[in-house]
Amino acid sequence: EECMLGKGTDLSFLDKVHEKHQKNEFYFKSKTSKDTFGIHHYAGSVTYDVNGWLEKNRDTVKDDIRRIVTTSEDALMKSFMEPPSDKKGKKMTVGGFFVNQVQLLMDLINSTNPHWIRCVKAHPAKKP
């Protein structure tokens, strides 16, 4: 939301994170820094710095990259993305591109009848 508004800042994003997750047992607000927050993961606590957070999420797929991929002679490469558009408006971010790719993969998986192979590890006692 902060990325899309255009007027959002890293600190306003952090304020919204605090509002939304302050009651979550895995979330913590840093007591030593005003621009960090933390998550208690299973392996330990991790502190995240929000400086540059919004800019990273605004990272759009560059038109040059789109042009190179869509003019490839390889049909598979061409299928990865649409050519660059001259239209003004919302450009796809790298994160948005990733989400679309995952959704396409999930749609493909869900449209088939997958058969999973289970890897079986032998019992240490070597008995059935």
Side-chain angles (χ1 to χ4, degrees), residues 4 7 10 26 31 47-48 52 56 65 73 76 78 88 91 99 103 108-110 113:
M4 302 304 170
K7 294 182 180 180
D10 294 330
F26 298 108
K31 294 177 181 151
T47 302
Y48 296 92
K56 291 174 191 170
I65 300 296
E73 293 179 13
L76 178 62
K78 281 184 177 183
K88 296 286 182 199
K91 291 191 174 199
V99 168
Q103 186 59 53
L108 178 63
I109 289 171
N110 291 328
N113 293 320

Side-chain angles (χ1 to χ4, degrees), residues 18-71:
H18 287 325
E19 275 179 41
K20 181 81 174 167
H21 300 289
Q22 64 187 348
K23 294 180 181 175
N24 188 313
E25 65 181 298
F26 298 108
Y27 176 83
F28 65 92
K29 186 175 182 176
S30 177
K31 294 177 181 151
T32 58
S33 175
K34 65 179 182 179
D35 52 1
T36 60
F37 67 94
I39 306 289
H40 298 293
H41 295 280
Y42 69 93
S45 297
V46 178
T47 302
Y48 296 92
D49 188 329
V50 297
N51 290 313
W53 194 281
L54 295 184
E55 191 57 39
K56 291 174 191 170
N57 284 297
R58 286 187 187 117
D59 187 19
T60 58
V61 179
K62 307 292 184 227
D63 285 345
D64 290 342
I65 300 296
R66 293 172 87 70
R67 205 171 287 109
I68 290 168
V69 171
T70 57
T71 58

